[in-house]
Amino acid sequence: MPYRTGLTVIMVSALVAIGCGLYAYFVPLTGVTGVWGPLAAAFGALCLLIGGALMVKARSRGARVILMLLLAIGIVLTAFAAFLMHQWVMLAALGVCALGWIAALSGPEEGAYA
Amino acid sequence: MTHLLRSTALLALLAGPALAQQADTPTPPAAPESAAPETDAPETPPPGATATEGGETPAEVEEPESSEDTASQDDSEPEPNAETAVVEVPAARPSSDAKVPSPGTGWPSFHGQVSGAKYSPLTQITPENVGDMELAWRVETGDVSDGSGDLPATVWSATPIYANDMLYIGTPFYRVLALDPATGEEIWSYDTQSTLEALTQPALKNRGVAYWEAANPTEGEACQKIVYLGTMDARLFAMDADTGALCEDFADGGVLDVNQWNTVNDRWPLSLLQPPTIVGDHVIIGWAGNDWDWAEAPPGSVFSVNAQTGELEWTFDTIPEEIREKTGTANVWTAMSADEERGIVYLPVASPSPNYWGGNRTEDIPYATSTTALDVDTGEVIWSRQWVHHDIWDYDINSAPTLMDITVNGQEIPALMQATKMGFLFVVNRETGEDIWPIEERPVPAGTIESERYAPTQPFPTTPAPLLDQSKMPDVWNIADIASFGECSDLWSKLIYDGMYTAPTTEGEGAGAYPNSAGVVQWGGVGYDPENQIAVVNLSHVVQYIQLYEREEYDEINGEAGVGESGFHPQTGAPYGMSLKTAMNRWGMPCWEPPFGEIMAIDMTTGEPLWRKPFGMSQRYGFYMPEAWGSPTIGGPAITAGGLIFIGATMDGMVRAYDLKSGEELWSDLTEAPSVSNPAIYEHDGAEYVAFVSGGNSILKPSVGDMVSVYRLPR
């Protein structure tokens, strides 16, 4: 259960981060309006969302390990971008995403995909 | 190095004042046919007449003896030289019939006062309560362009004027807005319908309006208070400050065509981007042009016209008549300052054309790259100090001198501080131009271009100390070097640099330009608190490099026209084209070590720094760099008697308040683009307001803005 909960947390927080990135890009006076930094961060969060979804479908242990590694890299880089842009809500969302990733470390229950 | 050329902006950082100030050259339009200037002003003495003979020697005009004395003291410890400042003083003159409103609680001129102090005596906002300051109102004028559409980009550096119980602002679409100072509500506006073409600049630029009022107004008559706005195509509009209606008695129905006096090398109009300087009844007009692309240019004449009639009173020519046909500019494109009591106006004079080669102007041009003091009624020279001899670095004097009364060794001295692009703060007696602290002539290296003439020495102030070390380039920034696989260190090894006056060259990758052509201090200039005798200045550290190309080679690589972003300029008419590039790696990271910008305060009784710290955050693609790295800055401070410094100026688009005494940052807010003008501080209906204009400047980053943000304490 923690595994699926973790994946859910990853995807929901990634959605929030995408929203934050788009907000920062489009809304005036965010400090990063109209520049590609927040779009890049939103794209990073989109990758996390897709990665979380793929994890749900991943059957083999090898695929899950690779995806977990990619998710970790994605979370760190996107969070670093949010930090450099002073987008604190986005950074918080990515912090939650990291918690979801930790929960997902537990792996699926035995025979979950049998 | 093509990757460097391609790298668009980070700081396009650094295109240079010239990129901001001049630059990009579409085909310049032919100037209108113009009549010879009509003037009954007294003839100014021939500019070269008082210069040192011989061409090779520094050309200081009416150089005081004490300067010569100090020039030989190369190795001496800098000591306050109060004696040199105590000289025969011209008698103070009565004020003229009219006046520019005194500083008081308003902000009636570009720098608050025509003295250039940027000082407000208001005390309502203090270090203790500034943290509570909140937005009173915010207005977006709509006059903005990022250059992606039909219009050129806008560069808006206007400081609002508070006078006549209104806030007046000029826009880069050459409109004037009169706003309610408490709410931002529009009271009136006037559209000059000026052309929105970038005739002399790469962008539509505006630094605001000027204000005049009659000392003894005629009751019931219009235009006893006038707002002036200049345009890119050299027209000066005069509007009634109450209604915005044109003043019919001023020039031709309220519009003065300054281009009528553009009669030599008139390949472009005299763009009026800086508001004129008002001293008494005199409207003193400088102009901006485009001297990167042409060897021959309009000569940098300054005009004084009557405030009410627009009639020409006097013309001051900076270029000796005998060489006026083959060079040009040495113009005054930035704000001037004035000592109204003494009747002196101080001109910060730019470099002659072309900027980076001077083989066409080997004669002395004593007023070029100088501070020149004129009698405001006649235009006659009182004194002049040349800060760069035979300028081939585009080290224009780019800010109004700051006038200050200072106490040195127990003596009160009427002083003038001239900040420069080179990072020097020259301090002289403003009545005589003599040193207050020694200014030394020191040998500088010569270059290798045969047709060039190199000045053997240049002036170096001893106190205050230079704002940065110009004897060597900053070290390569390891982060940028590693990120670019050694590109930065490779560039450093190919640059020729023997101190700040290394001459432009065809060799290697060119000559290092540090300080760069955009300037350590820019047109925001130095602020001054007269109560505590503290000067405040913000500065940039930027490395550029200049390369000359023989004509044939230049024409092969770049053809006829300059390309502003890449920093190529043909210097047409000279045997060399040139390029000016910022030392960045392939990712657009600066190759030199931070900090990139700082702010500091100086005790003017000793010339020693009180505090100094990195200022603002650099930003690229939205990513903020650490505060310890600072930001290049454009724009300057305003100071209050409450003990605060207000300033925008940084890449991050923040506006900030600092404690004057300690330098501690006490308040900040985000605006839509870098606030590249000085703030205005005023009192209205008992409340103290601080106004910032956020217009942006492509030198810092591409973001542009049209926002006026005004703050006050909660009611």
Side-chain angles (χ1 to χ4, degrees):
Chain A
M1 198 56 185
Y3 174 72
R4 289 195 174 275
T5 306
L7 294 184
T8 304
V9 168
I10 287 172
M11 288 190 284
V12 170
S13 58
L15 265 176
V16 172
I18 292 168
C20 290
L22 295 176
Y23 177 89
Y25 179 80
F26 286 108
V27 174
L29 291 175
T30 64
V32 294
T33 309
V35 292
W36 67 256
L39 286 185
F43 178 75
L46 177 66
C47 292
L48 297 178
L49 179 67
I50 293 169
L54 290 175
M55 281 288 288
V56 172
K57 293 291 182 187
R59 293 292 182 268
S60 74
R61 180 179 167 77
R64 287 200 301 272
V65 169
I66 290 171
L67 280 170
M68 284 295 281
L69 279 174
L70 291 174
L71 278 171
I73 293 168
I75 290 168
V76 169
L77 291 180
T78 311
F80 187 55
F83 170 75
L84 289 183
M85 291 187 295
H86 297 187
Q87 295 302 305
W88 310 123
V89 176
M90 188 181 206
L91 184 63
L94 290 158
V96 173
C97 193
L99 293 176
W101 184 88
I102 291 168
L105 281 175
S106 59
E109 290 169 14
E110 199 71 24
Y113 299 116
Chain B
M1 303 312 299
T2 49
H3 50 278
L4 276 176
L5 306 184
R6 273 187 237 112
S7 73
T8 35
L10 163 48
L11 338 187
L13 232 177
L14 315 39
L19 262 191
Q21 169 59 25
Q22 348 251 4
D24 203 38
T25 297
T27 310
E33 295 238 339
S34 50
E38 286 180 18
T39 171
D40 52 7
E43 285 267 344
T44 55
T50 51
T52 318
E53 297 286 340
E56 289 295 283
T57 23
E60 253 167 18
V61 179
E62 299 177 5
E63 184 175 11
E65 284 184 14
S66 60
S67 288
E68 289 176 4
D69 293 343
T70 55
S72 62
Q73 297 170 357
D74 271 346
D75 300 317
S76 63
E77 278 296 306
E79 285 181 1
N81 188 2
E83 279 189 14
T84 60
V86 183
V87 295
E88 197 174 337
V89 177
R93 309 165 343 142
S95 298
S96 69
D97 180 47
K99 62 180 176 116
V100 172
S102 61
T105 55
W107 198 266
S109 67
F110 185 70
H111 282 322
Q113 307 84 40
V114 77
S115 67
K118 302 120 198 164
Y119 176 76
S120 168
L122 296 174
T123 56
Q124 202 173 83
I125 305 174
T126 66
E128 289 70 38
N129 63 23
V130 68
D132 300 330
M133 203 166 70
E134 60 185 26
L135 191 67
W137 54 267
R138 182 167 265 167
V139 163
E140 292 175 70
T141 69
D143 291 1
V144 63
S145 163
D146 63 6
S148 61
D150 294 336
L151 293 176
T154 49
V155 168
W156 193 29
S157 316
T159 295
I161 298 296
Y162 175 88
N164 193 31
D165 287 334
M166 293 188 213
L167 202 64
Y168 300 102
I169 305 175
T171 79
F173 286 2
Y174 306 108
R175 291 195 307 139
V176 179
L177 308 177
L179 306 177
D180 183 318
T183 64
E185 199 174 320
E186 186 174 302
I187 299 170
W188 59 258
S189 68
Y190 181 84
D191 189 345
T192 63
Q193 303 285 337
S194 179
T195 179
L196 299 184
E197 292 178 55
L199 299 177
T200 64
Q201 310 283 310
L204 299 172
K205 293 185 182 179
N206 174 267
R207 297 206 186 102
V209 297
Y211 177 83
W212 170 89
E213 70 178 43
N216 301 302
T218 309
E219 198 67 35
E221 271 200 26
C223 293
Q224 302 303 295
K225 300 169 182 175
I226 300 177
V227 176
Y228 305 89
L229 175 76
T231 64
M232 178 75 84
D233 56 359
R235 290 179 299 156
L236 184 69
F237 287 75
M239 286 144 273
D240 183 287
D242 289 325
T243 65
L246 280 182
C247 293
E248 295 295 331
D249 292 340
F250 183 84
D252 186 8
V255 184
L256 174 66
D257 178 13
V258 175
N259 219 40
Q260 68 183 289
W261 301 316
N262 183 11
T263 55
V264 180
N265 299 334
D266 55 347
R267 53 187 79 255
W268 64 66
L270 310 179
S271 293
L272 309 181
L273 308 175
Q274 175 74 37
T277 301
I278 313 289
V279 190
D281 287 336
H282 307 283
V283 176
I284 303 171
I285 304 166
W287 51 269
N290 173 10
D291 50 4
W292 283 50
D293 294 323
W294 302 90
E296 296 167 359
S301 305
V302 173
F303 310 101
S304 174
V305 302
N306 179 276
Q308 279 185 297
T309 66
E311 188 180 346
L312 184 66
E313 297 170 327
W314 50 259
T315 301
F316 172 68
D317 296 312
T318 58
I319 307 262
E321 189 165 3
E322 57 275 18
I323 61 171
R324 217 167 281 166
E325 294 281 351
K326 60 181 185 178
T327 176
T329 56
N331 50 328
V332 178
W333 57 260
T334 188
M336 306 167 213
S337 51
D339 183 330
E340 293 181 281
E341 189 183 342
R342 291 173 174 84
I344 305 174
V345 61
Y346 301 94
L347 313 183
V349 185
S351 60
S353 66
N355 285 135
Y356 298 97
W357 175 80
N360 65 333
R361 47 180 168 89
T362 53
E363 301 85 348
D364 283 342
I365 308 178
Y367 300 136
T369 320
S370 75
T371 303
T372 295
L374 304 182
D375 183 308
V376 74
D377 289 330
T378 65
E380 286 174 354
V381 176
I382 296 172
W383 59 262
S384 179
R385 294 294 297 266
Q386 185 171 60
W387 304 126
V388 181
H389 308 314
H390 191 67
D391 188 346
I392 46 174
W393 302 272
D394 193 26
Y395 282 150
D396 300 337
I397 302 306
N398 61 352
S399 63
T402 305
L403 311 188
M404 48 182 69
D405 294 324
I406 60 177
T407 310
V408 178
N409 287 348
Q411 288 188 283
E412 256 194 36
I413 304 171
L416 171 153
M417 176 186 270
Q418 180 65 70
T420 67
K421 286 185 175 182
M422 299 89 79
F424 289 147
L425 301 172
F426 292 101
V427 184
V428 298
N429 184 307
R430 71 172 177 268
E431 292 175 336
T432 65
E434 293 180 325
D435 302 3
I436 288 175
W437 289 291
I439 297 168
E440 302 171 349
E441 287 290 334
R442 295 180 186 165
V444 294
T448 56
I449 303 294
E450 281 185 11
S451 54
E452 187 58 274
R453 158 211 164 185
Y454 297 101
T457 63
Q458 297 287 357
F460 287 73
T462 53
T463 306
L467 298 177
L468 40 73
D469 181 359
Q470 306 101 330
S471 66
K472 62 184 183 65
M473 299 256 281
D475 289 337
V476 168
W477 190 24
N478 286 331
I479 294 174
D481 199 33
I482 292 167
S484 60
F485 312 107
E487 193 178 347
C488 292
S489 49
D490 185 49
L491 174 62
W492 253 233
S493 70
K494 291 175 180 165
L495 291 180
I496 292 162
Y497 191 79
D498 190 18
M500 64 184 302
Y501 288 116
T502 303
T505 177
T506 56
E507 296 167 12
E509 289 281 345
Y514 181 76
N516 75 315
S517 165
V520 176
V521 183
Q522 298 183 332
W523 58 81
V526 176
Y528 182 65
D529 169 7
E531 299 300 320
N532 297 292
Q533 301 200 15
I534 295 173
V536 174
V537 62
N538 52 294
L539 56 132
S540 301
H541 300 249
V542 172
V543 178
Q544 291 181 300
Y545 53 108
I546 303 163
Q547 184 142 30
L548 296 179
Y549 304 89
E550 291 187 11
R551 175 58 53 207
E552 198 172 300
E553 184 186 1
Y554 183 88
D555 290 345
E556 272 176 28
I557 60 175
N558 209 49
E560 288 281 319
V563 182
E565 283 292 322
S566 72
F568 278 97
H569 293 272
Q571 300 193 136
T572 302
Y576 298 93
M578 55 76 58
S579 69
L580 176 69
K581 303 169 195 168
T582 300
M584 292 189 291
N585 69 11
R586 70 188 65 203
W587 312 114
M589 299 167 69
C591 275
W592 64 98
E593 275 193 331
F596 306 122
E598 295 176 277
I599 184 168
M600 67 184 297
I602 299 166
D603 178 350
M604 288 308 299
T605 63
T606 62
E608 296 297 323
L610 282 172
W611 51 263
R612 176 176 183 140
K613 57 188 291 186
F615 174 35
M617 289 176 285
S618 295
Q619 193 183 23
R620 182 157 167 89
Y621 306 132
F623 302 119
Y624 293 97
M625 300 298 114
E627 289 191 47
W629 294 359
S631 161
T633 66
I634 299 178
I639 302 171
T640 71
L644 292 165
I645 302 164
F646 292 100
I647 187 166
T650 53
M651 286 180 78
D652 54 24
M654 305 287 282
V655 293
R656 294 177 165 85
Y658 289 93
D659 186 319
L660 176 65
K661 295 283 179 62
S662 68
E664 185 187 355
E665 183 181 322
L666 300 172
W667 169 90
S668 66
D669 194 30
L670 180 67
T671 63
E672 80 174 334
S675 182
V676 293
S677 55
N678 297 59
I681 298 164
Y682 61 89
E683 183 182 69
H684 184 75
D685 288 344
E688 181 176 339
Y689 294 82
V690 185
F692 294 91
V693 165
S694 300
N697 188 307
S698 56
I699 292 180
L700 288 179
K701 64 176 183 180
S703 304
V704 293
D706 64 340
M707 180 176 280
V708 186
S709 304
V710 178
Y711 301 88
R712 70 172 171 222
L713 292 173
R715 285 181 183 272

PDB file of all heavy atoms in Angstrom, chain B residues 3 48 56 130:
ATOM      1  N   HIS B   3      30.341  31.507 -30.869  1.00  0.00           N
ATOM      2  CA  HIS B   3      29.324  31.181 -29.872  1.00  0.00           C
ATOM      3  C   HIS B   3      29.083  32.357 -28.933  1.00  0.00           C
ATOM      4  O   HIS B   3      27.986  32.586 -28.459  1.00  0.00           O
ATOM      5  CB  HIS B   3      29.736  29.949 -29.067  1.00  0.00           C
ATOM      6  CG  HIS B   3      31.129  30.053 -28.549  1.00  0.00           C
ATOM      7  ND1 HIS B   3      32.222  29.760 -29.324  1.00  0.00           N
ATOM      8  CD2 HIS B   3      31.603  30.436 -27.365  1.00  0.00           C
ATOM      9  CE1 HIS B   3      33.324  29.922 -28.599  1.00  0.00           C
ATOM     10  NE2 HIS B   3      32.974  30.354 -27.420  1.00  0.00           N
ATOM     11  N   GLY B  48      40.035  74.789 -28.145  1.00  0.00           N
ATOM     12  CA  GLY B  48      41.422  74.365 -28.016  1.00  0.00           C
ATOM     13  C   GLY B  48      42.337  75.435 -27.458  1.00  0.00           C
ATOM     14  O   GLY B  48      43.493  75.173 -27.150  1.00  0.00           O
ATOM     15  N   GLU B  56      50.500  65.793 -27.480  1.00  0.00           N
ATOM     16  CA  GLU B  56      50.781  64.565 -26.750  1.00  0.00           C
ATOM     17  C   GLU B  56      50.499  64.708 -25.271  1.00  0.00           C
ATOM     18  O   GLU B  56      50.372  63.754 -24.556  1.00  0.00           O
ATOM     19  CB  GLU B  56      52.255  64.170 -26.930  1.00  0.00           C
ATOM     20  CG  GLU B  56      52.572  63.676 -28.313  1.00  0.00           C
ATOM     21  CD  GLU B  56      51.856  62.381 -28.627  1.00  0.00           C
ATOM     22  OE1 GLU B  56      52.288  61.341 -28.142  1.00  0.00           O
ATOM     23  OE2 GLU B  56      50.855  62.407 -29.346  1.00  0.00           O
ATOM     24  N   VAL B 130      10.643  51.197   7.896  1.00  0.00           N
ATOM     25  CA  VAL B 130      10.615  50.977   6.445  1.00  0.00           C
ATOM     26  C   VAL B 130      10.129  49.566   6.092  1.00  0.00           C
ATOM     27  O   VAL B 130       9.543  49.334   5.028  1.00  0.00           O
ATOM     28  CB  VAL B 130      11.988  51.265   5.809  1.00  0.00           C
ATOM     29  CG1 VAL B 130      13.023  50.228   6.237  1.00  0.00           C
ATOM     30  CG2 VAL B 130      11.896  51.324   4.296  1.00  0.00           C
TER      31      VAL B 130
END
